Amino acid sequence: MPTLTNKRILLGITGGIAAYKCAELSRLFTRAGAEVRVVMTRAAQEFVTPLTMQALTGNRVLMDLLDFEAEAAMGHIELARWADLVLVAPASADFLARTAHGRADDLLSTLILATSAPIAIAPAMNQGMWSDPGTRQNLDEVRGRGYHVFGPAEGDQACGDVGPGRMVEPADLFASCAELFSGEPLAGRHLLITGGPTREAIDPVRFLSNHSSGKMAYALAAEAAAAGARVTLISGPVSLPTPDRVTRIDVTSAEDMLAATMERIADADAFIGVAAVADYRPANQTAGKIKKDKASMAIDLVRNPDIISEVAGLNPRPLVVGFAAETEDVTANGREKLERKQLDLLFANNATETFNSDEVAATAISAEGEVEIPRARKEAVARKMLELIAERLPVSVEAPA
Ligand code: PMT
């Protein structure tokens, strides 16, 4: 079964006997990792109950354009923006006619006009209605706008006729929709990313840390999620918002970061160590605030665990990708880290230009050689980095449970 991790499907159900098949269809989407929100026309509610669809999707079913409560939760424009795909199944002859004419007199037709997501329809109607020149014209109109039209299938119809007009079976419809996302390079992959600094406590109010802002890791997390990956971001203390569709785990110290990583590494396809992890921590953290009554003081430091080396030592292990912020001999020092830590890939960057900056230039270093990534915004560089990571992931993707 293809995976649709993170994908947001807006399922529009219009009035037709095939509406009952949407129960199975929504189950296939949710099992594949997608989130489904259902919009039903008034006629659709005569064939399948909103409660059924709500129970299957775990989301409130929306029915009215002017529903004060629903608008307060997620307005219709927000919903139109939320979707990665709008699928209307079954799409009745009436829906097709109203859509072809750009009507906006109910919630579903309004969403269709407002969305910039791809739109797919699965027509279902009596074979005579399907063959009618008016329906053909409406179909040509929506095809011309780029709608994906799946079906209809031919066969026995609920009305006793035989011919084209049956809604495509849920499994085939699901497969056609999944195919629309199949070009995404990280579809179905789980990426575990560490980011930001760690803080190593000296006493209850002071700590050792560094200038990492988290921007590089958060850009990678956001772009990976947009490319279809399931992303877990283990973040040191930063002041950035969590990227859309990313699971964020907040940690403070290197030891916390190691524990959070090891807890979640088992099903990761790739581990990306962007975090600027403190190499040392105070040997002892005092229980009370240290008094400033001495002219000088020394803090005894001990080595922190090396998180990425622990991951690289696992068997089996995910693809292991490191970063190195260097002030001199950036590429040579980066290669030394790649080899010493037994990484599959490492991005070396210039520490004086990278920490807390919105832009970065990097050299991708691996056993095969080096690739320069020119200076650009971290989001654009992250996309290039993810291409290089995707190329190195094993081909097969396991089906979701
Ligand atoms: O957060 P920003 O402001 O956007 O800045 C981004 C960045 C500069 C932090 C990032 O681009 C970067 O270079 N991160 C790595 C910083 C570094 O120099 O790490 P390192 O050389 O100490 O470690 C090398 C690799 O080992 C890194 O992948 C690091 O995450 C990992 N490591 C290091 C020490 C340790 N105890 N555990 C680790 O996992």
Side-chain angles (χ1 to χ4, degrees):
M1 177 191 257
T3 65
L4 287 176
T5 312
N6 276 339
K7 291 295 163 235
R8 293 165 173 173
I9 312 291
L10 188 58
L11 176 59
I13 308 178
T14 71
I17 185 64
Y20 79 90
K21 294 184 181 176
C22 287
E24 171 66 2
L25 183 60
S26 64
R27 207 180 60 87
L28 289 169
F29 280 125
T30 50
R31 271 187 55 203
E35 187 179 353
V36 180
R37 286 182 187 266
V38 172
V39 173
M40 296 176 78
T41 63
R42 208 167 291 275
Q45 295 160 47
E46 303 293 332
F47 294 92
V48 64
T49 74
L51 196 59
T52 302
M53 298 312 299
Q54 184 166 306
L56 288 169
T57 61
N59 283 318
R60 183 177 168 181
V61 172
L62 303 160
M63 291 165 285
D64 293 312
L65 184 56
L66 304 174
D67 178 333
F68 179 74
E69 237 180 84
E71 282 292 303
M74 187 189 266
H76 63 278
I77 299 296
E78 213 181 322
L79 190 58
R81 289 196 193 115
W82 170 88
D84 294 315
L85 173 70
V86 178
L87 169 65
V88 183
S92 65
D94 176 61
F95 165 80
L96 200 56
R98 289 190 301 111
T99 297
H101 289 87
R103 297 288 292 262
D105 49 5
D106 66 3
L107 181 57
L108 184 57
S109 55
T110 305
L111 287 167
I112 296 268
L113 290 190
T115 193
S116 56
I119 298 169
I121 61 170
M125 61 196 76
N126 164 270
Q127 55 85 25
M129 293 165 80
W130 174 248
S131 310
D132 182 84
T135 302
R136 312 305 301 175
Q137 210 174 337
N138 294 334
L139 194 68
D140 287 347
E141 172 61 33
V142 300
R143 271 208 174 105
R145 288 182 210 161
Y147 288 22
H148 303 275
V149 180
F150 299 137
E154 289 203 26
D156 294 339
Q157 300 206 293
C159 54
D161 282 3
V162 178
R166 286 169 62 92
M167 190 175 96
V168 173
E169 288 306 315
D172 297 331
L173 197 45
F174 166 78
S176 300
C177 292
E179 185 62 30
L180 299 177
F181 297 107
S182 65
E184 292 187 341
L186 293 171
R189 305 293 194 167
H190 180 203
L191 267 50
L192 188 59
I193 303 176
T194 62
T198 62
R199 282 183 187 171
E200 311 300 329
I202 299 169
D203 69 10
V205 295
R206 303 178 180 96
F207 54 83
L208 297 175
S209 192
N210 59 64
H211 291 294
S212 171
S213 62
K215 287 178 186 172
M216 187 70 247
Y218 278 59
L220 270 163
E223 296 301 329
R230 175 159 70 90
V231 182
T232 306
L233 174 60
I234 301 177
S235 176
V238 299
S239 54
L240 297 173
T242 307
D244 204 14
R245 310 174 203 222
V246 167
T247 303
R248 169 174 166 176
I249 314 291
D250 286 316
V251 296
T252 304
S253 68
E255 287 181 308
D256 297 342
M257 192 173 268
L258 173 67
T261 298
M262 288 307 168
E263 236 174 77
R264 293 163 180 88
I265 199 69
D267 71 345
D269 295 290
F271 172 79
I272 313 177
V274 194
V277 184
D279 292 310
Y280 293 90
R281 68 176 184 278
N284 303 299
Q285 185 199 335
T286 63
K289 187 180 166 194
I290 299 171
K291 299 286 175 214
K292 42 186 179 281
D293 51 0
K294 298 188 193 99
S296 69
M297 65 175 285
I299 301 173
D300 205 10
L301 299 176
V302 293
R303 277 303 284 262
N304 260 331
D306 190 316
I307 302 164
I308 207 164
S309 296
E310 300 260 352
V311 173
L314 294 172
N315 184 14
R317 65 178 231 177
L319 185 85
V320 187
V321 181
F323 271 69
E326 303 292 336
T327 50
E328 61 230 5
D329 300 329
V330 175
T331 307
N333 284 328
R335 183 164 290 285
E336 185 278 323
K337 274 184 189 163
L338 173 95
E339 286 164 6
R340 178 164 45 85
K341 298 195 178 203
Q342 301 196 313
L343 312 180
D344 298 301
L345 180 65
L346 179 136
F347 297 105
N349 46 204
N350 190 322
T352 54
E353 297 169 1
T354 303
F355 276 94
N356 200 18
S357 164
D358 290 334
E359 294 187 346
V360 64
T363 307
I365 306 171
S366 69
E368 295 88 59
E370 280 139 35
V371 177
E372 294 301 330
I373 307 178
R375 189 170 183 83
R377 286 191 62 82
K378 283 182 174 168
E379 293 77 11
V381 171
R383 284 194 286 279
K384 181 68 198 163
M385 290 171 167
L386 289 168
E387 272 174 34
L388 297 171
I389 291 169
E391 277 170 17
R392 287 167 171 79
L393 287 168
V395 175
S396 68
V397 175
E398 274 191 23

